[in-house]
């Protein structure tokens, strides 16, 4: 950055700040409920950002010590909308140009060159802000996604050779694959002779969901164990029959309890009430 | 490449420990049927624990072997199918519903005994 510009900017930093704050007030962030900050906090943040920018004007560098990044990371975590930050940076560009031209020590012919300079100087910051926020979102989404996947399909060994897999929530193709893998690995791991798949928590059973369940049951049978589908609610039974889905290939029961009784029967086990 | 077939009382035991190619599978089909004929075995256990891959042709041959053996009076049980193999088969649309299966050799023999006695 031209030393002349730096001088002018440092000299006029009060005017610069005032103009910039006026510019910022035009940005409306009331629509973003997530950012719960007092006007004071917002003003402090603005002023801190302004100081940081000025500091970088004199060093002509925005990325070396990482203070700008840290600043924006903090802001993003507080939930300040990204459009407010980009507005702020764009506003800063306009204000800097205004102040430089008003000062008079720079002739107008230099203005275009000046404009390019400022562009080149502010754009990397802008890019970095957008990039960082996008990264933060992506990270959050992937964490939530994997957390959701982990929760989806546990196989729980209940008795010797009997396991239960409770399914909750809608089943899509990706989840069905995971369910099948967990199911088969669990069957091998626990040496389950009977697996009960409980669909009490599955809100809708359409042809696709039924197809996935049938596939899983077939795969379990290939491994050498039996699959019993339990938790079939009346409305699910109605949907299955009216859709013409054929579930006769493997046993079904209305409740987990009934399924468990059948499972114990298959594995030749019995629950006996203790005397006295 | 030939797959060894062991006789245990009235059962035949086969553990497939090689990669099954088409030729080996067909050879195995012939060997098993003549062995059933020679020994008069009532039950056959085919253990697939160390098989990592089954394609549609091998699956067909296995299904055929089960049906052919049944015609000759021997009940066949497939044991130890790996999860990955099961998923591949299901993805290929092969469910082998008519073939009895068991988790391992032990349960396979139990299953045979149950079916032959009951």
């Amino acid at each position: 950055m031209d030393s002349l510009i730096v001088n002018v900017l440092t000299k006029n930093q009060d005017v610069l700040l005032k103009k910039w704050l006026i510019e910022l007030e035009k940005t409306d962030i009331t629509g973003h409920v997530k950012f719960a900050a007092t006007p004071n906090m917002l003003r402090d943040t603005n002023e801190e950002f302004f100081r940081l920018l000025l500091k970088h004007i004199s060093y002509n560098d925005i990325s070396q010590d990482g203070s700008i990044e840290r600043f924006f990371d903090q802001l993003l975590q507080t939930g300040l909308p990204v459009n407010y930050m980009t507005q702020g940076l764009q506003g800063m560009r306009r204000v800097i140009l205004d102040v430089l031209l008003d000062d008079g020590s720079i002739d107008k012919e230099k203005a275009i060159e000046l404009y390019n300079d400022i562009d080149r100087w502010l754009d990397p910051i802008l890019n970095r802000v957008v990039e960082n926020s996008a990264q933060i979102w992506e990270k959050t989404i992937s964490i939530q996604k994997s957390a959701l996947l982990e929760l989806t399909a546990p196989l729980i060994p209940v008795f010797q050779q009997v396991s239960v897999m409770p399914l909750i929530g809608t089943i899509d193709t990706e989840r069905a694959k995971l369910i099948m893998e967990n199911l088969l690995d669990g069957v091998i791991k626990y040496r389950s002779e009977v697996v009960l798949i409980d669909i009490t928590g599955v809100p809708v059973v359409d042809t696709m969901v039924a197809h996935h369940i049938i596939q899983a049951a077939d795969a379990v049978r290939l491994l050498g164990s039996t699959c019993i589908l339990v938790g079939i609610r009346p409305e699910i039974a109605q949907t299955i029959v009216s859709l013409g889905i054929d579930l006769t290939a493997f046993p079904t029961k209305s409740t987990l309890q009934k399924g468990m009784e059948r499972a114990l029967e298959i594995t030749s086990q019995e629950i006996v009430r203790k005397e006295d | 490449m030939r797959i060894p077939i062991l006789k245990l009382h009235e059962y035949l035991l086969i553990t497939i420990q090689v990669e099954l190619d088409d030729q080996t599978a067909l050879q195995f089909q012939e060997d098993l049927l003549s062995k059933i004929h020679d020994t008069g075995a009532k039950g056959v256990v085919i253990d697939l624990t160390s098989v990592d891959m089954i394609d549609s042709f091998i699956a067909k041959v296995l299904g055929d072997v089960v049906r052919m053996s049944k015609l000759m009076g021997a009940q066949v049980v497939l044991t130890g199918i790996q999860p990955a193999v099961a998923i591949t088969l299901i993805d290929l649309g092969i469910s082998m519903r008519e073939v009895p299966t068991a988790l391992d050799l032990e349960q396979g023999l139990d299953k045979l005994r149950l079916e032959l006695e009951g």
Side-chain angles (χ1 to χ4, degrees), chain B residues 86-99:
Chain B
I87 291 176
T88 320
L89 286 176
I90 295 298
D91 283 346
L92 289 170
I94 305 160
S95 58
M96 303 216 282
R97 287 215 172 118
E98 73 286 3
V99 184

Side-chain angles (χ1 to χ4, degrees), chain A residues 5-161:
Chain A
I5 299 175
V6 175
N7 283 337
V8 174
L9 284 181
T10 342
K11 200 173 70 192
N12 292 311
Q13 50 172 291
D14 288 342
V15 189
L16 200 60
L17 177 60
K18 223 165 92 193
K19 281 193 169 191
W20 184 55
L21 287 180
I22 293 167
E23 188 85 16
L24 264 182
E25 269 166 27
K26 291 180 201 158
T27 316
D28 181 27
I29 58 160
T30 45
H32 298 263
V33 197
K34 205 177 133 206
F35 187 58
T38 57
N40 270 344
M41 231 176 104
L42 203 59
R43 207 181 53 220
D44 286 352
T45 315
N46 286 342
E47 277 171 17
E48 196 189 338
F49 176 51
F50 184 73
R51 271 196 305 281
L52 264 175
L53 272 182
L54 266 193
K55 196 176 130 208
H56 281 289
I57 290 175
S58 23
Y59 290 128
N60 189 20
D61 191 291
I62 55 141
S63 56
Q64 286 299 311
D65 70 347
S67 57
I68 286 244
E69 273 172 62
R70 273 201 298 281
F71 176 73
F72 279 119
D73 280 352
Q74 266 173 16
L75 275 192
L76 283 170
Q77 262 149 28
T78 61
L80 184 73
V82 184
N83 74 332
Y84 186 75
M85 294 182 216
T86 52
Q87 291 276 352
L89 280 164
Q90 279 156 4
M92 180 62 90
R93 177 181 3 222
R94 281 193 292 275
V95 173
I96 287 178
L97 206 63
D98 264 8
V99 169
L100 285 175
L101 291 176
D102 281 356
D103 186 68
S105 56
I106 291 159
D107 52 36
K108 304 239 161 166
E109 277 125 51
K110 228 183 156 189
I112 297 209
E113 195 186 324
L114 197 67
Y115 190 77
N116 282 337
D117 270 0
I118 294 172
D119 252 7
R120 235 167 282 140
W121 177 72
L122 276 176
D123 277 356
I125 308 183
L126 199 63
N127 285 343
R128 203 167 272 279
V129 171
V130 175
E131 200 178 300
N132 280 2
S133 56
Q135 264 170 14
I136 288 177
W137 293 330
E138 269 167 33
K139 216 169 126 194
T140 320
I141 289 172
S142 75
I143 288 173
Q144 285 173 346
K145 214 173 176 180
S146 63
L148 202 64
L149 278 182
E150 278 166 19
L151 284 174
T152 46
L155 186 74
I156 308 155
V158 183
F159 294 112
Q160 226 178 6
Q161 300 167 323

Side-chain angles (χ1 to χ4, degrees), chain A residues 191-192 218 221-224, chain B residues 81 95-97 99 101-102 104:
Chain A
R191 318 209 55 70
S192 316
D218 271 340
R221 214 197 49 79
L222 274 177
L223 256 53
Chain B
I81 296 179
S95 58
M96 303 216 282
R97 287 215 172 118
V99 184
T101 51
D104 52 22

